[in-house]
Amino acid sequence: MKKIVIINGPNLNMLGKREPELYGDTTLEQINAELCEIGRQKKVCVEIFQSNHEGAIIDKIQAISDQCAGLIINPGAFTHTSIAIRDALLLIDAPIIEIHLSNIYKRETFRHKSVISDIAVGQITGFGEAGYFFALKTLISDISVRSDYNE
Ligand code: DQA
């Protein structure tokens, strides 16, 4: 079964409690349950990981680099700073979608810069949890298009 990995960075484990006016009331567990359900329905293995630590995120990216058919990542505040996460993502030879719950371009100027957007196939920003579901469904259709192409 093809695998899609979803990685969330620091403070995203606090969704539901953290600035709900920006990030919504839904918890990360609720979002993850919905993502797993989409995976089950579409017969794709969905692996989900969250860490507050830059090194742990890098270790995870390295570990899955040759095993995943697609990656969805919300690096949280590391989006704006982490060249090390960017370097790890360059190991991945599969489509990467960058996602943010809030619209980073409507916020402080230090959030307007993403150090990974140019290596992602696309960025989804400002659509809350719906962005994760859209990203997963898009990667799943991309995988099936690619497998048809290989047949
Ligand atoms: C975020 C936006 C980042 O600027 C912020 O540091 C986060 C969450 C988002 O999902 O909107 O932690 O990535």
Side-chain angles (χ1 to χ4, degrees):
M1 213 193 268
K2 301 266 186 185
K3 178 153 87 177
I4 293 179
V5 180
I6 302 166
I7 297 181
N8 283 296
N11 298 308
L12 291 162
N13 56 321
M14 300 310 283
L15 289 181
K17 272 195 202 156
R18 175 190 183 201
E19 300 174 272
E21 63 294 351
L22 268 179
Y23 298 119
D25 297 320
T26 313
T27 65
L28 188 59
E29 289 70 25
Q30 290 168 325
I31 295 174
N32 290 347
E34 181 72 30
L35 291 168
C36 289
E37 183 52 33
I38 295 171
R40 251 191 304 277
Q41 282 172 14
K42 305 277 186 188
K43 299 193 172 31
V44 168
C45 169
V46 173
E47 182 180 335
I48 302 179
F49 177 79
Q50 188 277 330
S51 177
N52 293 325
H53 305 280
E54 186 177 25
I57 294 170
I58 292 165
D59 288 344
K60 184 67 188 176
I61 294 169
Q62 289 180 1
I64 53 95
S65 61
D66 54 0
Q67 298 167 11
C68 72
L71 174 72
I72 297 166
I73 183 163
N74 181 348
F78 290 140
T79 306
H80 318 296
T81 59
S82 181
I83 307 299
I85 289 178
R86 177 197 166 86
D87 286 346
L89 289 171
L90 289 171
L91 289 165
I92 298 205
D93 188 25
I96 298 170
I97 297 183
E98 174 186 353
I99 173 154
H100 303 286
L101 291 143
S102 63
N103 180 349
I104 57 174
Y105 302 104
K106 266 177 90 177
R107 300 184 61 194
E108 305 94 321
T109 47
F110 61 80
R111 293 185 206 274
H112 297 180
K113 169 86 188 152
S114 161
V115 299
I116 68 161
S117 55
D118 63 309
I119 57 170
V121 289
Q123 184 193 59
I124 301 169
T125 184
F127 293 96
E129 63 194 276
Y132 285 88
F133 310 140
F134 178 73
L136 181 57
K137 287 176 186 164
T138 302
L139 280 184
I140 292 171
S141 351
D142 178 62
I143 289 171
S144 51
V145 170
R146 279 187 287 146
S147 348
D148 289 354
Y149 185 72
N150 290 335
E151 271 165 17

